[in-house]
Amino acid sequence: MTGRGMTRREVLAAFLGAPFALAACGTRGGGGGETAPPLPEGEVVGADDRLGHLLRDGLRPEPQTWERTGVCIVGGGVAGLAAGWRLLRAGFEDFVLLELEAEPGGTARSGERHGVVPYPWGAHYLPAPQKENRALVTLLDEMGVLEGADEAGEPVVSEQFLCRDPEERVFYRGRWYEGLYLHAGATEEDARQLRLFNAEVDAWAAWRDERGRRAFDIPVARSSDDAEVTALDRLSMGEWMRARGLDSERLRWLVDYACRDDYGLTVEQASAWAGLFYFASRMKGPGAEAQSLITWPEGNGRLVRHLHERASARVRLGLAVADVRTAGAPDAGSRGVEVVTVGREGGGAVGFRAERVIFAAPQFLTKYLLKPYREGGLPAHVAEFEYGAWMVANLFLSDRPHAGLGFPPAWDNVLYESPSLGYVTATHQRGFERGPTVFTYYYPLTDADPRAARARLLSAGRDAWADVALSDLQRAHPDVRALTRRLDVMRWGHAMIRPRVGFQWGGARRRAQEPFGPVHFANTDLSGVALFEEAFDHGLRAAEEVLSARGVKFESMRV
């Protein structure tokens, strides 16, 4: 038995499908095939659900001690770290950043305890920015990632930071194939539809509104809000494809994979705006290749580490925010804010009195932490934000599994007939072709009801999820179970914002970005897409709002 009373067959059926479960567990009656193969050691790591649920359920301690600060940043994910980075670049040092977890980074965090190289626990790449994204170019230059600009002024990424070839492959019926589109066995009609789809994407990549804005740009704040573009948000990507006669199985799989990969949604759940954004926003223009990918063994954890190091003297880890009070706060002043925290490892509550707060946590937490929302009535826009649940597993292998037939091992390895997204190989970027490695396996739960997805995520413990990951990967690597010496699991209950039909341009994002008195909001969910660039941009925006409110002179980095 595993996964809160479910049998192994039930667990595999729930997460990999009934036919696969029957094949994996056997079909004999009387319990035949129910004995699970031995599992490697491991644990559930990551988010502190216990303390988080106490805060959700009303833990509101009264501080025993108080500290004063000019600005309090709530949340140490990318948006909060970016806000701190921006304040420091403006010469503003009177702030503190509070983070519940023992490590910063949120869904961009990484690990290094058990692997031969560091490894990601979430976001694992960054498309090379275009020159217009000046702030991100500045960050990457500060990190030593860039080596100048080309004749057109576009940043040039140093070779060692670009994803090594081969970049990606897909496993289908016993064989690996290059790329993500399955050309093998494709008919002429499949090829025609692929050309038609690419032409549609090219047209949107070339599209400009009367102000010269692209339909889909990164960050989203630079995208056009023209009616022709926003109309795409009112239908699903599946509906958009059917309206154009795009019913090729291979094409639909590719687009569905893209939606699951970036949004945790199926092609029928994601809006057409989001589906097209995935493909068109990463292109400089029609016919161009998508921007090259920047990556490290630990994924975007490298970016987190740099941002954290810059602000580390002002970062307080292991402090969970329990209350943000903006009205009638004693001794806080008419414009002040009180932020109450409780220690992750126990101890008394600590309070911070600040002039301004940057709330860099997701919107769904405002109803628990922001006192005016909790007691004075929750704004309607908060309920519009929905978040997808994900499971991420890191497999620590003593050696490489058998290579299998077809295309050689790549950085990104996808299983065509699986609900998972496959795995990335942490050692690929270092050029380690043999010996121990780390596979990071990603599984999005795409249930229509996000609450049902979170319930399913938590219904399976470490052993159940370990069996799911190993059983799934055995499709391509029959020896992976024997080679895996350890397998740790991260369960992200609110991993990423879901740009379902109607959300992107329905007004909730715009309203959620407006300051609430002295509280300014910054999180990737405010863009409707969960990308590093979006979290980074919102951190900058909120920081610049605060600088303006404080009367600090600066030149915006977001122009």
Side-chain angles (χ1 to χ4, degrees):
M1 305 290 281
T2 185
R4 294 189 181 178
M6 289 190 290
T7 65
R8 179 173 184 244
R9 181 180 299 178
E10 289 170 336
V11 169
L12 295 184
F15 296 108
L16 298 178
F20 180 85
L22 288 172
C25 297
T27 58
R28 291 175 297 152
E34 279 297 335
T35 302
L39 291 172
E41 66 177 5
E43 62 183 331
V44 173
V45 301
D48 190 341
D49 292 337
R50 177 195 58 82
L51 182 54
H53 289 166
L54 287 175
L55 297 174
R56 177 198 65 189
D57 296 337
L59 176 64
R60 306 280 178 260
E62 192 57 34
Q64 299 174 353
T65 60
W66 288 93
E67 300 181 24
R68 287 194 176 274
T69 184
V71 177
C72 187
I73 301 173
V74 176
V78 170
L81 293 169
W85 179 82
R86 182 65 187 95
L87 293 176
L88 289 172
R89 287 193 65 89
F92 185 90
E93 300 182 358
D94 186 17
F95 71 90
V96 63
L97 187 156
L98 309 174
E99 166 58 35
L100 159 65
E101 297 301 329
E103 299 176 26
T107 55
R109 64 186 288 185
S110 59
E112 56 182 327
R113 285 182 59 200
H114 305 291
V116 290
V117 295
Y119 45 87
W121 274 118
H124 53 278
Y125 67 90
L126 176 70
Q130 299 180 34
K131 62 183 178 181
E132 290 80 8
N133 196 342
R134 294 192 303 112
L136 188 52
V137 170
T138 298
L139 173 67
L140 294 176
D141 190 46
E142 182 179 280
M143 293 177 63
V145 172
L146 306 180
E147 54 183 38
D150 62 17
E151 294 180 354
E154 295 290 344
V156 176
V157 179
S158 297
E159 187 70 25
Q160 68 265 36
F161 302 114
L162 293 174
C163 186
R164 289 180 64 244
D165 287 333
E167 185 174 308
E168 54 198 14
R169 61 177 182 165
V170 61
F171 184 80
Y172 178 68
R173 296 188 179 179
R175 191 178 186 89
W176 289 101
Y177 297 91
E178 181 179 8
L180 291 181
Y181 182 83
L182 186 63
H183 290 278
T187 65
E188 177 53 39
E189 177 60 15
D190 289 326
R192 184 192 70 81
Q193 290 193 29
L194 179 62
R195 291 192 298 269
L196 177 58
F197 177 76
N198 288 337
E200 291 272 5
V201 172
D202 281 349
W204 280 114
W207 189 96
R208 299 292 186 274
D209 66 13
E210 59 183 13
R211 293 170 52 187
R213 295 176 298 178
R214 292 165 52 108
F216 309 101
D217 209 346
I218 297 177
V220 167
R222 293 210 306 262
S223 298
S224 175
D225 60 358
D226 186 89
E228 184 179 356
V229 178
T230 61
L232 294 167
D233 193 43
R234 295 196 289 271
L235 70 162
S236 73
M237 191 61 187
E239 290 171 326
W240 182 90
M241 293 179 70
R242 285 190 292 276
R244 286 152 184 79
L246 300 175
D247 57 3
S248 162
E249 177 187 333
R250 284 165 169 74
L251 178 60
R252 180 182 171 85
W253 180 91
L254 176 69
V255 178
D256 186 72
Y257 170 84
C259 292
R260 290 186 295 120
D261 182 34
D262 261 21
Y263 312 132
L265 292 172
T266 69
V267 70
E268 297 297 341
Q269 297 166 338
S271 80
W273 186 95
L276 289 165
F277 175 89
Y278 179 96
F279 294 95
S281 65
R282 292 170 166 85
M283 299 169 58
K284 291 181 180 179
E289 293 290 329
Q291 292 290 92
S292 299
L293 301 183
I294 301 170
T295 191
W296 299 268
E298 66 268 44
N300 290 3
R302 179 67 66 89
L303 295 158
V304 166
R305 186 176 74 188
H306 178 83
L307 291 170
H308 179 223
E309 287 174 349
R310 289 296 308 276
S312 59
R314 295 161 186 84
V315 175
R316 305 280 287 273
L317 300 174
L319 281 183
V321 172
D323 205 2
V324 180
R325 308 167 180 171
T326 62
D331 303 321
S334 60
R335 297 177 58 211
V337 190
E338 287 187 342
V339 178
V340 179
T341 70
V342 60
R344 172 185 170 124
E345 300 300 332
V350 178
F352 296 84
R353 292 189 173 115
E355 291 187 25
R356 297 271 162 176
V357 161
I358 295 176
F359 193 94
Q363 277 289 300
F364 80 90
L365 289 176
T366 60
K367 61 184 176 183
Y368 305 117
L369 304 184
L370 193 54
K371 184 177 180 180
Y373 281 18
R374 193 174 65 244
E375 298 182 355
L378 187 68
H381 67 257
V382 176
E384 295 298 313
F385 285 74
E386 290 187 358
Y387 302 82
W390 286 60
M391 191 282 293
V392 180
N394 270 300
L395 290 73
F396 305 94
L397 281 72
S398 59
D399 204 349
R400 306 303 166 93
H402 187 269
L405 300 175
F407 197 72
W411 170 67
D412 191 11
N413 306 268
V414 179
L415 310 177
Y416 189 91
E417 297 173 302
S418 168
S420 76
L421 299 173
Y423 66 93
V424 294
T425 306
T427 52
H428 182 80
Q429 194 65 5
R430 294 274 181 89
F432 298 169
E433 308 295 345
R434 297 178 178 82
T437 190
V438 183
F439 286 176
T440 306
Y441 172 90
Y442 295 87
Y443 188 108
L445 287 89
T446 59
D447 308 57
D449 181 353
R451 291 170 298 183
R454 285 190 288 276
R456 284 212 306 136
L457 172 73
L458 299 176
S459 72
R462 201 289 313 200
D463 287 0
W465 275 119
D467 197 21
V468 168
L470 290 167
S471 298
D472 194 18
L473 292 176
Q474 281 183 282
R475 303 173 194 256
H477 303 299
D479 53 347
V480 68
R481 193 180 292 263
L483 294 171
T484 301
R485 59 178 178 80
R486 182 180 181 88
L487 193 156
D488 289 339
V489 165
M490 179 87 77
R491 298 181 298 187
W492 296 105
H494 299 83
M496 54 172 47
I497 188 67
R498 308 206 316 174
R500 68 194 191 286
V501 175
F503 174 73
Q504 196 66 25
W505 296 102
R509 291 193 309 109
R510 176 186 55 78
R511 291 190 293 274
Q513 293 178 44
E514 298 171 355
F516 181 80
V519 179
H520 305 258
F521 299 99
N523 191 275
T524 187
D525 60 0
L526 300 175
S527 284
V529 292
L531 300 177
F532 177 91
E533 301 97 317
E534 304 301 334
F536 185 70
D537 184 60
H538 284 295
L540 266 60
R541 174 190 50 74
E544 292 188 354
E545 289 175 359
V546 166
L547 291 171
S548 293
R550 292 291 302 257
V552 178
K553 293 183 178 180
F554 65 95
E555 179 182 351
S556 177
M557 298 184 71
R558 301 180 68 238
V559 176

